[in-house]
Amino acid sequence: MGKKKPRPRCSFTPEFKAEIVELCRRGDRSVGQIAKDFDLTETAVRDWVKQAEVDAGERDGLTSGEREELAALRRENRRLREDVDILKRATAFFAKETR
């Protein structure tokens, strides 16, 4: 048997995710059935439902806004560390030049 090809990575709009979460909350169909009907992975749908519960305050965890802020702060922190590293190298270069 050959290896199964990985699914291509897709991105979905917040409106689509909210619609899927609402379908799951209604309880007409299982999460697995909804995922199958919309050709989604069951894991992704479960993650969307869990994140919606966190955003609604029904479950502990980071809200979507907090996750976005954390990602932005990590990007800024990485950029600032690179800036400091460049300045350290420049300082060392110019210190060597002035001797």
Side-chain angles (χ1 to χ4, degrees), residues 21-99:
V21 168
E22 184 57 36
L23 287 173
C24 292
R25 286 188 173 176
R26 279 191 212 147
D28 308 357
R29 297 178 279 178
S30 69
V31 171
Q33 187 60 47
I34 291 170
K36 189 175 180 183
D37 291 347
F38 287 90
D39 191 32
L40 302 167
T41 62
E42 194 170 335
T43 304
V45 175
R46 288 190 190 284
D47 287 346
W48 296 347
V49 171
K50 188 164 64 171
Q51 188 61 50
E53 290 171 353
V54 169
D55 290 345
E58 301 167 4
R59 180 187 281 239
D60 287 338
L62 293 177
T63 64
S64 296
E66 291 169 335
R67 284 182 185 277
E68 290 172 11
E69 181 181 10
L70 181 60
L73 289 170
R74 285 181 174 162
R75 277 192 305 272
E76 182 181 6
N77 194 1
R78 187 179 324 112
R79 187 186 57 78
L80 291 171
R81 287 179 191 270
E82 290 170 358
D83 289 351
V84 167
D85 188 47
I86 289 169
L87 290 172
K88 281 182 182 177
R89 286 192 222 149
T91 302
F93 175 79
F94 287 116
K96 192 166 53 171
E97 285 286 316
T98 56
R99 289 183 185 175

Side-chain angles (χ1 to χ4, degrees), residues 10-22 40 44 48 64 68:
C10 299
S11 61
F12 301 96
T13 64
E15 293 81 17
F16 177 75
K17 290 179 183 181
E19 184 179 327
I20 297 297
V21 168
E22 184 57 36
L40 302 167
W48 296 347
S64 296
E68 290 172 11

